Amino acid sequence: MSNLSDLVNLNLSDTTDKIIAEYIWVGGSGMDMRSKARTLSGPVKDPSELPKWNYDGSSTGQAPGEDSEVILYPQAIFKDPFRRGNNILVMCNAYTPAGEPIPTNKRHAAAKVFSHPDVVAEVPWYGIEQEYTLLQKDVKWPVGWPIGGFPGPQGPYYCGIGADKSFGRDVVDSHYKACLYAGINISGINGEVMPGQWEFQVGPSVGISAGDEIWVARYILERITEIAGVVVSFDPKPIPGDWNGAGAHCNYSTKTMREEGGYEIIKKAIDKLGLRHKEHIAAYGEGNERRLTGHHETADINTFLWGVANRGASIRVGRDTEKEGKGYFEDRRPASNMDPYIVTSMIAETTILWDP
């Protein structure tokens, strides 16, 4: 007699060419993720081979009940680490039946920026450091923390090891391997300063693919925490007080920044970012004012400053970049709940297309 695990792990390729495609999209809050699956007749390699699909937008906060149909346009394919085999995850964006992007479809506008010839020529690279906090399911308190109480002060937890310092590593390592399996360019993980908080890094990714990969990595993480019985929070300041917040630092470079003389291009780009500081802050995530206080490795939300190796700055330039005269910089302002399509395209637009 088969048990549930046997059936979940059935290898479909033994009996059929059909595959399962899990269509993924961003829900009505702009942060929640939704998905549903459909059967396809055989393996698929390119999103253009996939059919459009629809869903009930009135049940996700994305359409009224009297006109509830929202259309999913497949955009990027990843291998499915849960079903495995030839099964796939499909990152989609959402449109009205008339073909207009719905308000939570931030990919549409980002794709326009990334398809601009000036942006294409600069081959923008992104490396995004996605921080998150694992919470106990029933009490919404960080894993490893005593219920209703607090652990010892910050210090021993960053990149820490041991049962009294590291909480949730099984979830983190499962996510790491699942992302590699899926084809996401995940480049590393580490425990963060606050206990129960972790980070994964995605990149370098070029253009629109950075947003696709972060969203699907978040989706995989939520699915794994579902299995593990814990909750993932992308709140930028999940615990008030003397605890680090959670960000999504965005490392960025263009072709000319990576070439000889690139440091001067970097400084000009940073100057542009400073001139549009308020616009960027407004687009960099909800609740970021609770995180960007000027403490806990942040710059104050109302202040723009940059520096070399300064983790209390809005923009940090690495020592190697300064020394070599070329490289990249890190925008430390985005919150952990930022939309990667908005952040990556806005940085490209400001630094490449915008003329002050």
Side-chain angles (χ1 to χ4, degrees), residues 16-334:
T16 181
D17 291 332
K18 292 180 179 179
I19 69 162
I20 301 171
E22 190 79 27
Y23 279 44
I24 303 165
W25 70 96
V26 179
S29 72
M31 190 62 205
D32 63 308
M33 302 198 72
R34 309 288 179 125
S35 75
K36 62 177 185 172
R38 68 183 300 165
T39 305
L40 302 176
S41 59
V44 174
K45 297 296 184 184
D46 191 271
S48 63
E49 302 173 44
L50 291 165
K52 295 174 185 175
W53 205 7
N54 65 75
Y55 67 92
D56 172 15
S58 69
S59 296
T60 63
Q62 293 171 296
E66 64 274 13
D67 187 15
S68 64
E69 193 168 283
V70 180
I71 312 301
L72 293 171
Y73 288 36
Q75 299 294 345
I77 291 175
F78 300 86
K79 293 173 66 177
D80 187 338
F82 303 102
R83 296 188 176 107
R84 290 171 284 187
N86 291 320
N87 303 301
I88 55 175
L89 304 177
V90 183
M91 188 64 205
C92 305
N93 54 1
Y95 293 81
T96 68
E100 294 296 320
I102 66 171
T104 50
N105 177 358
K106 305 304 182 184
R107 193 185 194 279
H108 181 83
K112 287 185 177 180
V113 172
F114 286 119
S115 63
H116 190 288
D118 292 349
V119 177
V120 172
E122 282 288 357
V123 196
W125 288 3
Y126 297 90
I128 297 174
E129 305 171 27
Q130 176 68 70
E131 294 179 338
Y132 60 93
T133 307
L134 295 175
L135 306 177
Q136 302 169 59
K137 184 176 68 171
D138 296 326
V139 294
K140 302 296 177 68
W141 199 239
V143 296
W145 290 40
I147 294 175
F150 295 87
Q154 296 183 154
Y157 309 109
Y158 172 71
C159 297
I161 60 170
D164 59 342
K165 305 179 197 70
S166 178
F167 312 111
R169 191 184 296 276
D170 53 347
V171 169
V172 174
D173 272 353
S174 297
H175 176 250
Y176 195 176
K177 290 182 178 180
C179 284
L180 287 171
Y181 179 94
I184 293 168
N185 192 24
I186 187 170
S187 47
I189 56 101
N190 61 268
E192 268 303 330
V193 177
M194 189 183 85
Q197 190 181 84
W198 293 83
E199 172 185 300
F200 65 88
Q201 303 94 34
V202 169
S205 302
V206 179
I208 197 76
S209 65
D212 292 336
E213 292 189 15
I214 282 289
W215 273 119
V216 176
R218 286 174 173 174
Y219 173 83
I220 291 172
L221 179 58
E222 291 229 43
R223 287 281 305 275
I224 290 172
T225 57
E226 173 189 322
I227 295 167
V230 296
V231 174
V232 60
S233 170
F234 294 103
D235 189 288
K237 187 73 173 180
I239 305 296
D242 195 18
W243 304 98
N244 274 36
H249 302 158
C250 187
N251 298 276
Y252 171 71
S253 70
T254 62
K255 184 173 181 288
T256 49
M257 291 177 191
R258 298 187 292 268
E259 295 173 344
E260 294 302 322
Y263 193 36
E264 292 305 311
I265 305 298
I266 287 172
K267 288 192 284 188
K268 289 177 182 177
I270 293 173
D271 287 343
K272 284 185 171 183
L273 289 169
L275 292 173
R276 297 191 74 196
H277 177 63
K278 288 184 179 179
E279 292 90 335
H280 279 256
I281 286 294
Y284 273 15
E286 296 294 325
N288 215 6
E289 72 283 351
R290 294 181 283 117
R291 168 180 163 261
L292 297 181
T293 61
H295 304 287
H296 303 109
E297 302 182 60
T298 69
D300 181 83
I301 195 168
N302 297 309
T303 303
F304 181 87
L305 61 95
W306 74 276
V308 176
N310 182 0
R311 282 181 161 77
S314 312
I315 305 288
R316 181 185 68 86
V317 175
R319 290 282 182 205
D320 287 346
T321 294
E322 180 189 43
K323 182 179 178 181
E324 295 175 12
K326 59 183 178 180
Y328 71 97
F329 64 83
E330 175 192 43
D331 190 338
R332 298 177 60 82
R333 297 171 295 173

Side-chain angles (χ1 to χ4, degrees), residues 344-356:
T344 55
S345 61
M346 195 172 192
I347 291 173
E349 183 180 31
T350 295
T351 60
I352 300 172
L353 302 179
W354 186 59
D355 187 11

